[in-house]
Amino acid sequence: MTILVTGATGNVGRSVVDQLVEAGQRVRALTRNPKEAQLPDAVEVVHGNLAHIDTLPAVFEGVDSMFLFPTPVLNTAPAVVDAAKRAEVRRIVLLSSSRPFESIERAIEESGLEWTHVRPGEFAVNKLDYWAKSIREEGVARMAYPEARGVPVHEADIAAVAVAALLDGRHAGRVYDVTGPEALTQREQVQAISEGIGKPVEFQAVTPDEARDYMTAQGWPREIADYYLAYLAEWDVHPPKALRTVEEVTGRPARTLAEWAADHADSFR
């Protein structure tokens, strides 16, 4: 049985690949830059792009199950799913979102294939984009809405839920909302990161405008900064809840933010 992993060099996709290899599975990894993929030797790395439908027959040949990373195919999802069905792919596990990719989910559900939707909330790894530099250089993390709670989830835990669904048909037809194990304010998240990396980190509360300016200075597009700040404003009033999905699906508790930070400590030092 060959399992196709799309988005194989992304944060979640790379962990899906590693966990499947560890489980002894045959893995085909799809990437636009095979020479730069740096994936395990046991992995069959193939060149391709899901946005180019004419390349898919060769990509899907011999594939039984697929991990679908949706970003490149938001507009071509029905054609991608149809190509998978014609190639006799049996199962699709979709990396969706807490704000679901409804058109893609619907296309998969209507295909007649086995499916599972994995809907993670806040990715812990995104904290590298807005805190790693200031923590490295100043020992400081800045953010608006200091009391807004989030439930950031380790990318390896998202991958673990997806891998379980790829390998076990009992997860077919299920929708899994995935979070970290604890709801933490922005201040508490910085404390957890400090604990994980073994380095004092000061939290500085700033206004939303100051946070936006800081994020765009780090290279964030303004609309993405606004999108994230809108989430924080919502969480300040209606905080999300920590779910036990990771433990229920995989049999072990989700990793804490401190554990995530320890795994990425070099990026903060």
Side-chain angles (χ1 to χ4, degrees):
M1 177 179 75
T2 297
I3 300 175
L4 175 66
V5 178
T6 69
T9 59
N11 292 310
V12 176
R14 189 175 292 276
S15 188
V16 169
V17 169
D18 290 342
Q19 292 182 43
L20 287 172
V21 170
E22 186 177 349
Q25 301 297 313
R26 292 182 58 184
V27 180
R28 179 177 298 161
L30 181 67
T31 175
R32 286 173 289 185
N33 298 296
K35 292 182 179 179
E36 300 176 7
Q38 296 182 332
L39 293 168
D41 292 340
V43 175
E44 177 191 1
V45 181
V46 297
H47 175 268
N49 188 333
L50 292 183
H52 299 155
I53 304 302
D54 58 335
T55 68
L56 299 186
V59 171
F60 285 138
E61 185 176 352
V63 169
D64 178 79
S65 302
M66 172 173 62
F67 173 76
L68 179 58
F69 175 69
T71 301
V73 291
L74 288 175
N75 298 321
T76 59
V80 170
V81 174
D82 184 62
K85 185 174 181 178
R86 283 187 279 106
E88 299 184 350
V89 173
R90 180 169 57 93
R91 178 180 299 157
I92 297 178
V93 175
L94 172 69
L95 180 63
S96 190
S97 167
S98 58
R99 295 191 175 179
F101 302 118
E102 293 181 358
S103 62
I104 301 180
E105 290 189 1
R106 184 167 55 251
I108 293 172
E109 291 169 14
E110 293 175 352
S111 70
L113 304 178
E114 293 182 17
W115 58 267
T116 306
H117 303 326
V118 179
R119 294 176 177 172
E122 182 186 10
F123 284 50
V125 73
N126 289 342
K127 299 186 184 304
L128 294 177
D129 292 333
Y130 50 83
W131 279 341
K133 183 174 186 291
S134 64
I135 288 176
R136 280 198 309 269
E137 297 179 355
E138 307 171 65
V140 170
R142 302 176 179 87
M143 189 50 66
Y145 305 103
E147 302 308 317
R149 293 186 181 274
V151 282
V153 60
H154 197 306
E155 62 274 12
D157 285 334
I158 302 169
V161 173
V163 167
L166 286 165
L167 299 182
D168 191 337
R170 290 177 295 180
H171 300 288
R174 301 293 299 274
V175 176
Y176 290 128
D177 295 303
V178 182
T179 74
E182 49 193 351
L184 303 171
T185 67
Q186 301 303 295
R187 294 181 189 276
E188 290 168 341
Q189 290 181 35
V190 172
Q191 291 171 1
I193 290 172
S194 175
E195 175 189 338
I197 66 177
K199 170 182 175 178
V201 181
E202 176 189 354
F203 178 82
Q204 292 183 357
V206 296
T207 68
D209 286 342
E210 289 171 333
R212 181 185 301 107
D213 290 344
Y214 175 75
M215 294 163 76
T216 55
Q218 304 305 307
W220 287 52
R222 182 183 177 89
E223 61 273 18
I224 301 299
D226 286 339
Y227 186 73
Y228 181 70
L229 289 168
Y231 264 115
L232 287 182
E234 178 181 338
W235 294 340
D236 198 34
V237 180
H238 302 292
K241 295 181 179 180
L243 305 175
R244 296 182 62 248
T245 308
V246 173
E247 184 172 2
E248 292 167 352
V249 173
T250 70
R252 60 158 190 78
R255 297 166 176 87
T256 66
L257 186 61
E259 290 175 307
W260 171 85
D263 288 342
H264 295 273
D266 288 348
S267 297
F268 290 101
R269 291 178 181 146

